[in-house]
Amino acid sequence: NEHYTSYGIEKLEKAISDVTGIMPDKYLVIDMQTFSKAIDTIGGINITVEKDLSDMAYPGPNGTYTTFSIAKGTYTFDGETALKYARSRHSTSDFDRAIRQQKIAQAVVEKLKEKDFLSQIKSSANIFLDILEGVKTDTSAMEFLAYFKKYQKYELETGNVLTTANYLSSTTNQRGQYILLPKTENDNEIQKYLAELILQ
Protein backbone atom coordinates (compact mmCIF):
# COMPACT_ATOMS: atom_id res chain seq x y z
CA ASN A 1 0.00 0.00 0.00
CA GLU A 2 2.79 2.42 0.91
CA HIS A 3 4.70 1.58 -2.25
CA TYR A 4 1.62 2.24 -4.40
CA THR A 5 0.89 5.50 -2.60
CA SER A 6 4.46 6.73 -2.94
CA TYR A 7 5.37 5.53 -6.44
CA GLY A 8 2.22 4.57 -8.38
CA ILE A 9 1.02 1.41 -10.08
CA GLU A 10 3.90 0.89 -12.50
CA LYS A 11 6.51 0.89 -9.73
CA LEU A 12 4.25 -1.39 -7.68
CA GLU A 13 4.05 -3.88 -10.56
CA LYS A 14 7.84 -3.87 -10.74
CA ALA A 15 8.12 -4.41 -6.97
CA ILE A 16 5.66 -7.32 -7.14
CA SER A 17 7.71 -8.83 -9.95
CA ASP A 18 10.95 -8.45 -7.97
CA VAL A 19 9.51 -10.34 -4.99
CA THR A 20 7.35 -12.95 -6.72
CA GLY A 21 9.16 -13.44 -10.01
CA ILE A 22 5.83 -12.87 -11.82
CA MET A 23 4.95 -9.65 -13.65
CA PRO A 24 1.20 -8.84 -13.35
CA ASP A 25 -0.60 -8.87 -16.72
CA LYS A 26 -3.34 -6.48 -15.63
CA TYR A 27 -4.17 -4.36 -12.61
CA LEU A 28 -7.30 -3.13 -10.86
CA VAL A 29 -7.25 -0.71 -7.95
CA ILE A 30 -10.63 -0.46 -6.20
CA ASP A 31 -11.54 1.93 -3.41
CA MET A 32 -13.67 0.90 -0.43
CA GLN A 33 -16.83 2.69 -1.57
CA THR A 34 -16.68 1.06 -5.01
CA PHE A 35 -15.95 -2.34 -3.45
CA SER A 36 -19.13 -2.06 -1.39
CA LYS A 37 -21.11 -0.81 -4.38
CA ALA A 38 -19.92 -3.70 -6.56
CA ILE A 39 -21.10 -6.28 -4.01
CA ASP A 40 -24.52 -4.61 -3.80
CA THR A 41 -24.74 -4.38 -7.60
CA ILE A 42 -24.49 -8.15 -8.03
CA GLY A 43 -27.01 -8.79 -5.26
CA GLY A 44 -24.70 -9.58 -2.36
CA ILE A 45 -22.46 -12.60 -1.81
CA ASN A 46 -22.77 -15.83 0.16
CA ILE A 47 -20.07 -16.30 2.79
CA THR A 48 -19.53 -19.00 5.41
CA VAL A 49 -17.91 -17.50 8.51
CA GLU A 50 -15.86 -20.32 10.00
CA LYS A 51 -15.26 -18.76 13.41
CA ASP A 52 -16.68 -15.91 15.48
CA LEU A 53 -15.15 -12.51 14.77
CA SER A 54 -15.34 -9.52 17.08
CA ASP A 55 -13.49 -6.29 16.27
CA MET A 56 -13.91 -3.62 18.94
CA ALA A 57 -11.87 -1.06 16.99
CA TYR A 58 -13.24 -1.11 13.45
CA PRO A 59 -12.67 2.29 11.76
CA GLY A 60 -15.70 4.55 11.97
CA PRO A 61 -16.45 8.04 10.58
CA ASN A 62 -14.25 11.04 11.38
CA GLY A 63 -11.45 9.09 13.02
CA THR A 64 -13.74 7.20 15.39
CA TYR A 65 -14.00 3.49 16.10
CA THR A 66 -16.96 1.15 16.19
CA THR A 67 -17.60 -2.54 16.84
CA PHE A 68 -18.00 -5.15 14.12
CA SER A 69 -18.99 -8.60 15.31
CA ILE A 70 -20.25 -11.64 13.44
CA ALA A 71 -20.86 -15.17 14.66
CA LYS A 72 -19.89 -18.38 12.94
CA GLY A 73 -22.42 -19.31 10.25
CA THR A 74 -23.49 -18.82 6.63
CA TYR A 75 -24.66 -15.39 5.47
CA THR A 76 -25.57 -13.32 2.46
CA PHE A 77 -23.43 -10.20 2.82
CA ASP A 78 -24.36 -6.83 1.40
CA GLY A 79 -21.56 -4.53 0.33
CA GLU A 80 -21.09 -2.81 3.67
CA THR A 81 -20.88 -6.08 5.62
CA ALA A 82 -18.54 -7.64 3.05
CA LEU A 83 -16.26 -4.61 3.35
CA LYS A 84 -16.17 -4.87 7.13
CA TYR A 85 -15.47 -8.61 6.95
CA ALA A 86 -12.64 -7.95 4.48
CA ARG A 87 -11.10 -5.02 6.38
CA SER A 88 -11.37 -6.11 10.00
CA ARG A 89 -7.90 -6.53 11.43
CA HIS A 90 -8.23 -6.34 15.22
CA SER A 91 -8.69 -9.61 17.12
CA THR A 92 -7.38 -11.54 14.08
CA SER A 93 -4.11 -11.49 12.13
CA ASP A 94 -3.37 -9.93 8.75
CA PHE A 95 -2.95 -13.48 7.49
CA ASP A 96 -6.52 -14.33 8.53
CA ARG A 97 -7.68 -11.18 6.80
CA ALA A 98 -5.96 -12.26 3.57
CA ILE A 99 -7.81 -15.58 3.70
CA ARG A 100 -11.13 -13.78 4.25
CA GLN A 101 -10.45 -11.53 1.27
CA GLN A 102 -9.75 -14.57 -0.91
CA LYS A 103 -13.07 -16.06 0.18
CA ILE A 104 -14.82 -12.84 -0.81
CA ALA A 105 -13.21 -12.93 -4.26
CA GLN A 106 -14.36 -16.53 -4.67
CA ALA A 107 -17.89 -15.62 -3.54
CA VAL A 108 -18.04 -12.80 -6.12
CA VAL A 109 -17.08 -15.21 -8.90
CA GLU A 110 -19.72 -17.70 -7.74
CA LYS A 111 -22.40 -14.98 -7.72
CA LEU A 112 -21.45 -13.91 -11.26
CA LYS A 113 -21.84 -17.52 -12.39
CA GLU A 114 -25.15 -17.85 -10.54
CA LYS A 115 -26.53 -14.72 -12.18
CA ASP A 116 -25.38 -15.96 -15.62
CA PHE A 117 -24.02 -12.56 -16.61
CA LEU A 118 -22.66 -13.93 -19.88
CA SER A 119 -26.19 -14.45 -21.25
CA GLN A 120 -26.94 -10.79 -20.60
CA ILE A 121 -23.99 -9.13 -22.28
CA LYS A 122 -25.52 -5.66 -22.64
CA SER A 123 -26.73 -5.32 -19.06
CA SER A 124 -23.54 -6.97 -17.77
CA ALA A 125 -21.37 -4.52 -19.69
CA ASN A 126 -23.38 -1.64 -18.22
CA ILE A 127 -22.86 -3.05 -14.71
CA PHE A 128 -19.12 -3.33 -15.26
CA LEU A 129 -18.98 0.17 -16.74
CA ASP A 130 -20.80 1.52 -13.69
CA ILE A 131 -18.39 -0.22 -11.32
CA LEU A 132 -15.32 0.78 -13.34
CA GLU A 133 -16.09 4.45 -12.75
CA GLY A 134 -14.68 4.00 -9.26
CA VAL A 135 -11.56 1.99 -10.09
CA LYS A 136 -8.21 2.44 -11.75
CA THR A 137 -7.46 -0.28 -14.26
CA ASP A 138 -5.92 -1.02 -17.63
CA THR A 139 -8.79 -3.37 -18.53
CA SER A 140 -12.07 -2.46 -20.24
CA ALA A 141 -15.56 -3.68 -19.33
CA MET A 142 -15.65 -5.92 -22.40
CA GLU A 143 -12.26 -7.35 -21.53
CA PHE A 144 -13.57 -8.20 -18.06
CA LEU A 145 -16.47 -10.09 -19.64
CA ALA A 146 -14.08 -11.87 -22.02
CA TYR A 147 -11.86 -12.92 -19.11
CA PHE A 148 -14.87 -14.12 -17.18
CA LYS A 149 -16.07 -16.21 -20.11
CA LYS A 150 -12.63 -17.70 -20.61
CA TYR A 151 -12.04 -18.54 -16.97
CA GLN A 152 -15.58 -19.12 -15.68
CA LYS A 153 -14.87 -22.82 -15.00
CA TYR A 154 -11.55 -22.12 -13.31
CA GLU A 155 -11.65 -23.21 -9.69
CA LEU A 156 -10.23 -20.60 -7.33
CA GLU A 157 -8.15 -22.05 -4.52
CA THR A 158 -8.35 -20.09 -1.28
CA GLY A 159 -6.19 -20.30 1.81
CA ASN A 160 -2.88 -19.91 -0.02
CA VAL A 161 -1.29 -17.13 2.02
CA LEU A 162 2.35 -16.33 2.68
CA THR A 163 2.67 -16.37 6.48
CA THR A 164 5.19 -16.80 9.28
CA ALA A 165 4.07 -20.45 9.34
CA ASN A 166 5.60 -21.08 5.92
CA TYR A 167 7.91 -18.68 4.06
CA LEU A 168 8.03 -15.48 6.14
CA SER A 169 9.56 -14.30 9.39
CA SER A 170 8.53 -11.23 11.37
CA THR A 171 10.82 -8.51 12.67
CA THR A 172 10.98 -4.71 12.93
CA ASN A 173 12.77 -2.15 10.80
CA GLN A 174 15.02 0.69 11.97
CA ARG A 175 11.97 2.78 12.87
CA GLY A 176 10.49 -0.01 14.99
CA GLN A 177 7.78 -0.85 12.47
CA TYR A 178 6.55 -4.44 12.12
CA ILE A 179 7.73 -6.00 8.84
CA LEU A 180 7.86 -9.41 7.17
CA LEU A 181 10.91 -10.86 5.45
CA PRO A 182 11.63 -14.14 3.65
CA LYS A 183 12.89 -16.84 6.00
CA THR A 184 15.73 -17.49 3.55
CA GLU A 185 18.17 -14.79 2.48
CA ASN A 186 16.37 -14.21 -0.81
CA ASP A 187 12.97 -14.65 -2.46
CA ASN A 188 13.75 -17.93 -4.25
CA GLU A 189 11.53 -20.14 -2.10
CA ILE A 190 8.63 -17.68 -2.35
CA GLN A 191 9.02 -17.45 -6.12
CA LYS A 192 9.08 -21.23 -6.46
CA TYR A 193 5.94 -21.58 -4.32
CA LEU A 194 4.03 -18.93 -6.29
CA ALA A 195 5.16 -20.30 -9.64
CA GLU A 196 3.77 -23.72 -8.75
CA LEU A 197 0.58 -22.16 -7.46
CA ILE A 198 -0.14 -19.62 -10.18
CA LEU A 199 1.57 -20.87 -13.32
CA GLN A 200 0.45 -24.52 -13.11
Side-chain angles (χ1 to χ4, degrees):
N1 289 339
E2 184 175 345
H3 202 90
Y4 169 70
T5 301
S6 299
Y7 305 110
I9 192 66
E10 291 185 358
K11 293 289 186 180
L12 177 59
E13 287 182 313
K14 176 62 167 55
I16 291 173
S17 177
D18 290 342
V19 173
T20 67
I22 300 170
M23 177 63 77
D25 291 325
K26 299 289 183 178
Y27 70 85
L28 183 148
V29 181
I30 183 168
D31 62 34
M32 290 181 288
Q33 182 178 359
T34 303
F35 173 92
S36 180
K37 175 183 177 182
I39 299 296
D40 287 337
T41 298
I42 63 175
I45 56 174
N46 300 320
I47 291 287
T48 296
V49 178
E50 297 180 354
K51 57 184 179 181
D52 296 353
L53 187 154
S54 183
D55 185 348
M56 307 297 288
Y58 185 83
N62 304 316
T64 62
Y65 294 96
T66 185
T67 297
F68 171 64
S69 297
I70 189 164
K72 177 181 177 180
T74 300
Y75 302 86
T76 298
F77 283 172
D78 61 12
E80 182 180 359
T81 306
L83 179 62
K84 290 179 178 178
Y85 188 66
R87 289 189 68 201
S88 178
R89 64 193 316 155
H90 298 280
S91 80
T92 62
S93 71
D94 281 343
F95 305 132
D96 290 335
R97 186 170 63 145
I99 292 174
R100 293 199 303 271
Q101 291 170 355
Q102 290 180 12
K103 290 178 64 176
I104 288 173
Q106 184 179 42
V108 168
V109 172
E110 292 303 319
K111 176 52 71 77
L112 292 175
K113 292 179 181 179
E114 176 188 318
K115 291 290 187 179
D116 195 16
F117 278 77
L118 291 177
S119 66
Q120 310 168 54
I121 296 296
K122 184 175 181 179
S123 61
S124 297
N126 289 335
I127 288 173
F128 280 110
L129 283 170
D130 185 40
I131 293 173
L132 286 176
E133 289 183 0
V135 305
K136 295 180 181 179
T137 182
D138 56 354
T139 307
S140 70
M142 294 308 295
E143 284 178 311
F144 270 116
L145 288 172
Y147 281 131
F148 184 67
K149 181 178 181 180
K150 182 177 180 179
Y151 296 108
Q152 61 178 313
K153 294 183 178 180
Y154 183 83
E155 294 296 328
L156 291 178
E157 294 184 17
T158 62
N160 298 299
V161 177
L162 297 174
T163 74
T164 51
N166 49 40
Y167 298 101
L168 302 176
S169 62
S170 61
T171 185
T172 55
N173 62 16
Q174 294 178 340
R175 292 183 289 178
Q177 296 170 311
Y178 175 82
I179 60 173
L180 296 166
L181 295 174
K183 285 185 176 179
T184 56
E185 294 183 358
N186 52 51
D187 299 318
N188 290 347
E189 290 298 317
I190 291 176
Q191 292 181 1
K192 180 181 178 182
Y193 167 74
L194 292 176
E196 292 174 352
L197 184 66
I198 297 173
L199 302 179
Q200 59 181 329

